[in-house]
Amino acid sequence: MRLFLITLLVFSSGLGSHSLFAHEVRPAFLQIEEQSPHHYAVLWKVPRTVDKVLDIQPQFEKSFTLSETLPPRILEAFVLYNYQLKGEKSIANTRLSIDQLNTTGTDVLVVVRLLNGEQHSFLLQPTRNSILIPETPSKWNVAKTYIILGIEHILLGFDHLLFVLALVLITKGFKKLLKTITAFTLAHSITLSFSVLGIANLPGPPVEAVIALSIVFLALEILKIQKGNSTLTSKKPWIVAFVFGLLHGFGFAGALQDIGLPQKEIPLALATFNIGVELGQILFVLVVLVLLRFIRSYVPRKNWTEKLAPYAIGTLAAFWLIDRIVGF
């Protein structure tokens, strides 16, 4: 258990250095909307931290001219740029690239809307920073894009991962764990869908604070279970997973709304984003289970080392909780 706990503590101390790392890293967003033949309005949304903006820029073919129309607007996590793009021909079948993207760890979601009503969505990544804009839109491109975004969202959403880790440590038995993870999945899928479709919503900052509080609660539950106390969480962890999963779904929705959705493919994008989140979550749970099995088989267990995991989880979550409340 010691190796696992040391890894967790290092992980926690690194993430605790700044509140930004409590959340997933959001991709950049490029929207290109045709307003008249060969004339386009371009919205370029670039991620930022407190003191740094990513030095990346869209690049078009030489037959196009890009000019700024409004001063940059600085938001909490992004900087917004507005441009006008003029060309001698349609942007379809031309190459788009993102300069310097290969030097970052950030993706770029691109949405292209044409006058004829067609809409394209695709994802550019550091390993693939250019694309030939297709003439005909593809549903597969939308599905692939949002599956990847969903996987990245959960694997880089450290607070959600910490909650799932606590559930794995609490739940005894594979069947009970499967039921618990399924309840969490169902709950956050419901509220994610409701929020994106405008059926129900909650303000982001309080939701993020309660997500951190949910992790603190699970850390305390782990300590109670280690002392031999029987709690609702230990008996029926799927109930707790479902209740808090509803709140986590609103957290997922906030990130998805920041990313953006293709207006003509909202159901497909929403469904495939959910699939991506679940694939990432399953991958994480499998890795944790394999690691725990290895540790329990080959590393001697001691009472004080058992307590390090919930204390590390609870301390980091408490830091996030205070930081998010202060940020209201």
Short mmCIF file of all heavy atoms in Angstrom, two decimals, residues 269-313:
data_model
loop_
_atom_site.label_atom_id
_atom_site.label_comp_id
_atom_site.label_asym_id
_atom_site.label_seq_id
_atom_site.Cartn_x
_atom_site.Cartn_y
_atom_site.Cartn_z
N ALA A 269 -23.56 14.87 -30.45
CA ALA A 269 -22.40 15.34 -29.69
C ALA A 269 -22.56 15.03 -28.21
O ALA A 269 -21.60 14.60 -27.55
CB ALA A 269 -22.22 16.84 -29.91
N LEU A 270 -23.75 15.23 -27.68
CA LEU A 270 -24.00 14.97 -26.26
C LEU A 270 -23.85 13.48 -25.94
O LEU A 270 -23.21 13.10 -24.96
CB LEU A 270 -25.40 15.46 -25.89
CG LEU A 270 -25.85 15.28 -24.44
CD1 LEU A 270 -24.90 15.99 -23.49
CD2 LEU A 270 -27.27 15.83 -24.27
N ALA A 271 -24.43 12.64 -26.79
CA ALA A 271 -24.35 11.19 -26.56
C ALA A 271 -22.92 10.69 -26.64
O ALA A 271 -22.47 9.91 -25.78
CB ALA A 271 -25.22 10.45 -27.58
N THR A 272 -22.18 11.14 -27.64
CA THR A 272 -20.81 10.65 -27.80
C THR A 272 -19.87 11.24 -26.74
O THR A 272 -18.91 10.58 -26.33
CB THR A 272 -20.28 10.95 -29.21
OG1 THR A 272 -20.50 12.33 -29.53
CG2 THR A 272 -20.99 10.10 -30.24
N PHE A 273 -20.14 12.46 -26.27
CA PHE A 273 -19.35 13.01 -25.16
C PHE A 273 -19.56 12.15 -23.92
O PHE A 273 -18.60 11.82 -23.21
CB PHE A 273 -19.78 14.45 -24.89
CG PHE A 273 -19.00 15.13 -23.79
CD1 PHE A 273 -17.75 15.68 -24.05
CD2 PHE A 273 -19.50 15.21 -22.50
CE1 PHE A 273 -17.03 16.31 -23.04
CE2 PHE A 273 -18.79 15.82 -21.49
CZ PHE A 273 -17.55 16.38 -21.76
N ASN A 274 -20.82 11.77 -23.65
CA ASN A 274 -21.11 10.88 -22.52
C ASN A 274 -20.39 9.54 -22.67
O ASN A 274 -19.85 9.01 -21.70
CB ASN A 274 -22.62 10.63 -22.43
CG ASN A 274 -23.30 11.50 -21.38
OD1 ASN A 274 -22.76 11.71 -20.30
ND2 ASN A 274 -24.45 12.02 -21.72
N ILE A 275 -20.38 9.01 -23.88
CA ILE A 275 -19.68 7.74 -24.12
C ILE A 275 -18.19 7.90 -23.83
O ILE A 275 -17.56 7.03 -23.20
CB ILE A 275 -19.90 7.28 -25.58
CG1 ILE A 275 -21.35 6.84 -25.77
CG2 ILE A 275 -18.95 6.13 -25.93
CD1 ILE A 275 -21.73 6.56 -27.21
N GLY A 276 -17.62 9.01 -24.28
CA GLY A 276 -16.20 9.26 -24.02
C GLY A 276 -15.90 9.36 -22.55
O GLY A 276 -14.89 8.81 -22.06
N VAL A 277 -16.77 10.07 -21.80
CA VAL A 277 -16.59 10.18 -20.35
C VAL A 277 -16.59 8.79 -19.71
O VAL A 277 -15.75 8.47 -18.85
CB VAL A 277 -17.69 11.06 -19.73
CG1 VAL A 277 -17.69 10.94 -18.20
CG2 VAL A 277 -17.49 12.52 -20.13
N GLU A 278 -17.53 7.94 -20.13
CA GLU A 278 -17.62 6.60 -19.53
C GLU A 278 -16.43 5.73 -19.90
O GLU A 278 -15.94 4.96 -19.08
CB GLU A 278 -18.93 5.93 -19.96
CG GLU A 278 -20.17 6.66 -19.54
CD GLU A 278 -20.05 7.35 -18.20
OE1 GLU A 278 -19.59 6.71 -17.22
OE2 GLU A 278 -20.38 8.54 -18.11
N LEU A 279 -15.96 5.84 -21.15
CA LEU A 279 -14.78 5.07 -21.54
C LEU A 279 -13.57 5.49 -20.69
O LEU A 279 -12.80 4.63 -20.23
CB LEU A 279 -14.48 5.28 -23.02
CG LEU A 279 -15.46 4.65 -24.01
CD1 LEU A 279 -15.12 5.07 -25.44
CD2 LEU A 279 -15.46 3.13 -23.87
N GLY A 280 -13.39 6.78 -20.49
CA GLY A 280 -12.29 7.27 -19.67
C GLY A 280 -12.43 6.82 -18.22
O GLY A 280 -11.45 6.44 -17.57
N GLN A 281 -13.66 6.85 -17.72
CA GLN A 281 -13.92 6.44 -16.34
C GLN A 281 -13.64 4.96 -16.15
O GLN A 281 -13.03 4.55 -15.15
CB GLN A 281 -15.38 6.77 -16.00
CG GLN A 281 -15.77 6.49 -14.56
CD GLN A 281 -17.17 6.99 -14.28
OE1 GLN A 281 -17.39 8.17 -14.08
NE2 GLN A 281 -18.13 6.09 -14.28
N ILE A 282 -14.09 4.13 -17.09
CA ILE A 282 -13.84 2.68 -17.02
C ILE A 282 -12.34 2.41 -17.05
O ILE A 282 -11.83 1.57 -16.29
CB ILE A 282 -14.56 1.96 -18.16
CG1 ILE A 282 -16.07 2.01 -17.95
CG2 ILE A 282 -14.09 0.52 -18.29
CD1 ILE A 282 -16.88 1.55 -19.14
N LEU A 283 -11.64 3.09 -17.94
CA LEU A 283 -10.18 2.91 -18.02
C LEU A 283 -9.52 3.24 -16.68
O LEU A 283 -8.65 2.49 -16.20
CB LEU A 283 -9.62 3.80 -19.12
CG LEU A 283 -8.09 3.82 -19.28
CD1 LEU A 283 -7.58 2.42 -19.63
CD2 LEU A 283 -7.67 4.83 -20.34
N PHE A 284 -9.93 4.35 -16.07
CA PHE A 284 -9.36 4.74 -14.78
C PHE A 284 -9.64 3.70 -13.71
O PHE A 284 -8.74 3.33 -12.94
CB PHE A 284 -9.92 6.10 -14.37
CG PHE A 284 -9.47 6.57 -13.01
CD1 PHE A 284 -8.18 7.03 -12.80
CD2 PHE A 284 -10.34 6.54 -11.93
CE1 PHE A 284 -7.76 7.44 -11.55
CE2 PHE A 284 -9.93 6.96 -10.67
CZ PHE A 284 -8.63 7.41 -10.48
N VAL A 285 -10.88 3.22 -13.63
CA VAL A 285 -11.25 2.23 -12.61
C VAL A 285 -10.44 0.95 -12.80
O VAL A 285 -9.95 0.36 -11.83
CB VAL A 285 -12.76 1.94 -12.66
CG1 VAL A 285 -13.10 0.72 -11.78
CG2 VAL A 285 -13.56 3.15 -12.20
N LEU A 286 -10.28 0.51 -14.04
CA LEU A 286 -9.51 -0.72 -14.31
C LEU A 286 -8.05 -0.56 -13.88
O LEU A 286 -7.48 -1.47 -13.28
CB LEU A 286 -9.59 -1.07 -15.80
CG LEU A 286 -10.95 -1.56 -16.30
CD1 LEU A 286 -10.91 -1.78 -17.81
CD2 LEU A 286 -11.38 -2.84 -15.58
N VAL A 287 -7.47 0.59 -14.17
CA VAL A 287 -6.08 0.84 -13.77
C VAL A 287 -5.95 0.83 -12.25
O VAL A 287 -5.02 0.23 -11.69
CB VAL A 287 -5.58 2.17 -14.35
CG1 VAL A 287 -4.24 2.56 -13.73
CG2 VAL A 287 -5.45 2.08 -15.86
N VAL A 288 -6.91 1.48 -11.56
CA VAL A 288 -6.87 1.51 -10.10
C VAL A 288 -7.02 0.11 -9.52
O VAL A 288 -6.30 -0.27 -8.59
CB VAL A 288 -7.98 2.44 -9.56
CG1 VAL A 288 -8.13 2.28 -8.04
CG2 VAL A 288 -7.68 3.90 -9.89
N LEU A 289 -7.93 -0.69 -10.06
CA LEU A 289 -8.14 -2.05 -9.56
C LEU A 289 -6.89 -2.91 -9.74
O LEU A 289 -6.51 -3.67 -8.85
CB LEU A 289 -9.34 -2.69 -10.27
CG LEU A 289 -10.72 -2.15 -9.90
CD1 LEU A 289 -11.79 -2.82 -10.75
CD2 LEU A 289 -11.01 -2.36 -8.41
N VAL A 290 -6.26 -2.79 -10.90
CA VAL A 290 -5.04 -3.56 -11.15
C VAL A 290 -3.94 -3.13 -10.19
O VAL A 290 -3.22 -3.96 -9.61
CB VAL A 290 -4.58 -3.38 -12.62
CG1 VAL A 290 -3.18 -3.97 -12.81
CG2 VAL A 290 -5.57 -4.05 -13.56
N LEU A 291 -3.80 -1.82 -9.99
CA LEU A 291 -2.77 -1.30 -9.09
C LEU A 291 -3.02 -1.74 -7.65
O LEU A 291 -2.10 -2.17 -6.95
CB LEU A 291 -2.72 0.22 -9.19
CG LEU A 291 -1.65 0.95 -8.36
CD1 LEU A 291 -0.26 0.46 -8.74
CD2 LEU A 291 -1.76 2.46 -8.54
N LEU A 292 -4.29 -1.67 -7.22
CA LEU A 292 -4.62 -2.08 -5.85
C LEU A 292 -4.38 -3.57 -5.65
O LEU A 292 -3.91 -4.00 -4.59
CB LEU A 292 -6.07 -1.73 -5.54
CG LEU A 292 -6.39 -0.25 -5.31
CD1 LEU A 292 -7.89 -0.05 -5.15
CD2 LEU A 292 -5.64 0.28 -4.09
N ARG A 293 -4.71 -4.36 -6.65
CA ARG A 293 -4.50 -5.81 -6.53
C ARG A 293 -3.01 -6.12 -6.41
O ARG A 293 -2.60 -6.99 -5.61
CB ARG A 293 -5.10 -6.52 -7.74
CG ARG A 293 -4.98 -8.03 -7.65
CD ARG A 293 -5.80 -8.72 -8.72
NE ARG A 293 -5.75 -10.16 -8.57
CZ ARG A 293 -6.44 -11.02 -9.31
NH1 ARG A 293 -7.27 -10.55 -10.24
NH2 ARG A 293 -6.34 -12.31 -9.13
N PHE A 294 -2.20 -5.44 -7.20
CA PHE A 294 -0.75 -5.64 -7.12
C PHE A 294 -0.23 -5.25 -5.74
O PHE A 294 0.56 -5.98 -5.12
CB PHE A 294 -0.07 -4.81 -8.20
CG PHE A 294 1.44 -4.78 -8.07
CD1 PHE A 294 2.21 -5.83 -8.54
CD2 PHE A 294 2.06 -3.70 -7.46
CE1 PHE A 294 3.60 -5.80 -8.40
CE2 PHE A 294 3.44 -3.66 -7.33
CZ PHE A 294 4.21 -4.72 -7.80
N ILE A 295 -0.68 -4.09 -5.25
CA ILE A 295 -0.21 -3.59 -3.95
C ILE A 295 -0.61 -4.55 -2.83
O ILE A 295 0.19 -4.88 -1.95
CB ILE A 295 -0.76 -2.18 -3.69
CG1 ILE A 295 -0.11 -1.18 -4.67
CG2 ILE A 295 -0.52 -1.74 -2.26
CD1 ILE A 295 -0.78 0.16 -4.70
N ARG A 296 -1.87 -4.98 -2.85
CA ARG A 296 -2.35 -5.85 -1.78
C ARG A 296 -1.70 -7.23 -1.81
O ARG A 296 -1.65 -7.93 -0.79
CB ARG A 296 -3.87 -5.98 -1.87
CG ARG A 296 -4.59 -4.69 -1.45
CD ARG A 296 -6.03 -4.68 -1.86
NE ARG A 296 -6.69 -3.45 -1.43
CZ ARG A 296 -7.88 -3.05 -1.86
NH1 ARG A 296 -8.55 -3.79 -2.75
NH2 ARG A 296 -8.41 -1.91 -1.42
N SER A 297 -1.18 -7.61 -2.96
CA SER A 297 -0.53 -8.92 -3.08
C SER A 297 0.94 -8.90 -2.67
O SER A 297 1.46 -9.88 -2.14
CB SER A 297 -0.64 -9.43 -4.53
OG SER A 297 -1.98 -9.60 -4.89
N TYR A 298 1.61 -7.77 -2.91
CA TYR A 298 3.06 -7.76 -2.75
C TYR A 298 3.59 -6.74 -1.73
O TYR A 298 4.76 -6.80 -1.37
CB TYR A 298 3.73 -7.47 -4.11
CG TYR A 298 3.45 -8.53 -5.13
CD1 TYR A 298 2.48 -8.33 -6.11
CD2 TYR A 298 4.14 -9.74 -5.13
CE1 TYR A 298 2.22 -9.31 -7.06
CE2 TYR A 298 3.88 -10.72 -6.08
CZ TYR A 298 2.92 -10.50 -7.04
OH TYR A 298 2.65 -11.46 -7.97
N VAL A 299 2.74 -5.83 -1.27
CA VAL A 299 3.21 -4.81 -0.33
C VAL A 299 2.57 -5.04 1.03
O VAL A 299 1.34 -5.14 1.13
CB VAL A 299 2.88 -3.39 -0.84
CG1 VAL A 299 3.37 -2.33 0.14
CG2 VAL A 299 3.51 -3.16 -2.21
N PRO A 300 3.36 -5.16 2.11
CA PRO A 300 2.80 -5.36 3.44
C PRO A 300 1.87 -4.21 3.84
O PRO A 300 2.16 -3.05 3.59
CB PRO A 300 4.03 -5.40 4.36
CG PRO A 300 5.16 -5.74 3.45
CD PRO A 300 4.83 -5.13 2.12
N ARG A 301 0.74 -4.54 4.47
CA ARG A 301 -0.23 -3.53 4.88
C ARG A 301 -0.05 -3.21 6.36
O ARG A 301 0.07 -4.10 7.19
CB ARG A 301 -1.65 -4.03 4.62
CG ARG A 301 -1.92 -4.33 3.16
CD ARG A 301 -3.27 -4.98 2.94
NE ARG A 301 -4.37 -4.08 3.28
CZ ARG A 301 -5.66 -4.42 3.16
NH1 ARG A 301 -5.98 -5.63 2.74
NH2 ARG A 301 -6.60 -3.56 3.46
N LYS A 302 -0.04 -1.92 6.67
CA LYS A 302 0.06 -1.46 8.05
C LYS A 302 -1.07 -0.47 8.32
O LYS A 302 -1.55 0.22 7.42
CB LYS A 302 1.42 -0.80 8.29
CG LYS A 302 2.60 -1.77 8.15
CD LYS A 302 3.91 -1.08 8.48
CE LYS A 302 5.08 -2.05 8.35
NZ LYS A 302 6.38 -1.40 8.66
N ASN A 303 -1.44 -0.36 9.59
CA ASN A 303 -2.58 0.46 9.97
C ASN A 303 -2.38 1.94 9.59
O ASN A 303 -3.27 2.59 9.06
CB ASN A 303 -2.83 0.34 11.48
CG ASN A 303 -4.07 1.09 11.90
OD1 ASN A 303 -5.16 0.84 11.39
ND2 ASN A 303 -3.92 2.03 12.83
N TRP A 304 -1.18 2.47 9.85
CA TRP A 304 -0.97 3.89 9.60
C TRP A 304 -0.94 4.21 8.10
O TRP A 304 -1.36 5.29 7.67
CB TRP A 304 0.32 4.38 10.27
CG TRP A 304 1.59 3.84 9.67
CD1 TRP A 304 2.25 2.70 10.01
CD2 TRP A 304 2.36 4.44 8.61
NE1 TRP A 304 3.37 2.54 9.25
CE2 TRP A 304 3.47 3.60 8.38
CE3 TRP A 304 2.23 5.59 7.86
CZ2 TRP A 304 4.44 3.87 7.42
CZ3 TRP A 304 3.17 5.87 6.89
CH2 TRP A 304 4.27 5.02 6.68
N THR A 305 -0.47 3.25 7.29
CA THR A 305 -0.45 3.51 5.85
C THR A 305 -1.87 3.50 5.27
O THR A 305 -2.14 4.20 4.29
CB THR A 305 0.42 2.48 5.12
OG1 THR A 305 -0.08 1.16 5.36
CG2 THR A 305 1.86 2.57 5.57
N GLU A 306 -2.76 2.70 5.86
CA GLU A 306 -4.14 2.65 5.38
C GLU A 306 -4.81 4.01 5.52
O GLU A 306 -5.65 4.39 4.71
CB GLU A 306 -4.93 1.59 6.17
CG GLU A 306 -4.48 0.17 5.94
CD GLU A 306 -4.83 -0.31 4.54
OE1 GLU A 306 -5.86 0.13 4.00
OE2 GLU A 306 -4.06 -1.10 3.98
N LYS A 307 -4.45 4.75 6.57
CA LYS A 307 -5.09 6.04 6.83
C LYS A 307 -4.55 7.16 5.93
O LYS A 307 -5.18 8.22 5.81
CB LYS A 307 -4.93 6.43 8.30
CG LYS A 307 -5.77 5.57 9.25
CD LYS A 307 -5.59 6.05 10.68
CE LYS A 307 -6.60 5.36 11.61
NZ LYS A 307 -6.54 3.91 11.56
N LEU A 308 -3.39 6.94 5.34
CA LEU A 308 -2.81 8.00 4.52
C LEU A 308 -3.67 8.32 3.30
O LEU A 308 -3.80 9.47 2.89
CB LEU A 308 -1.40 7.60 4.07
CG LEU A 308 -0.28 7.77 5.11
CD1 LEU A 308 1.03 7.28 4.53
CD2 LEU A 308 -0.17 9.22 5.54
N ALA A 309 -4.26 7.28 2.70
CA ALA A 309 -5.06 7.50 1.49
C ALA A 309 -6.24 8.43 1.75
O ALA A 309 -6.40 9.45 1.07
CB ALA A 309 -5.52 6.17 0.91
N PRO A 310 -7.12 8.14 2.74
CA PRO A 310 -8.24 9.07 2.97
C PRO A 310 -7.80 10.44 3.43
O PRO A 310 -8.44 11.45 3.07
CB PRO A 310 -9.07 8.36 4.06
CG PRO A 310 -8.14 7.38 4.68
CD PRO A 310 -7.23 6.93 3.60
N TYR A 311 -6.69 10.52 4.20
CA TYR A 311 -6.21 11.84 4.63
C TYR A 311 -5.70 12.64 3.42
O TYR A 311 -5.94 13.86 3.32
CB TYR A 311 -5.12 11.70 5.68
CG TYR A 311 -5.65 11.53 7.09
CD1 TYR A 311 -5.43 10.36 7.81
CD2 TYR A 311 -6.38 12.54 7.69
CE1 TYR A 311 -5.92 10.19 9.09
CE2 TYR A 311 -6.88 12.39 8.98
CZ TYR A 311 -6.65 11.22 9.67
OH TYR A 311 -7.16 11.07 10.95
N ALA A 312 -5.00 11.98 2.52
CA ALA A 312 -4.52 12.68 1.33
C ALA A 312 -5.67 13.14 0.45
O ALA A 312 -5.71 14.29 -0.02
CB ALA A 312 -3.58 11.77 0.54
N ILE A 313 -6.65 12.26 0.24
CA ILE A 313 -7.82 12.60 -0.57
C ILE A 313 -8.59 13.75 0.09
O ILE A 313 -8.96 14.73 -0.57
CB ILE A 313 -8.73 11.38 -0.75
CG1 ILE A 313 -8.03 10.32 -1.62
CG2 ILE A 313 -10.07 11.77 -1.36
CD1 ILE A 313 -8.77 8.99 -1.67
#
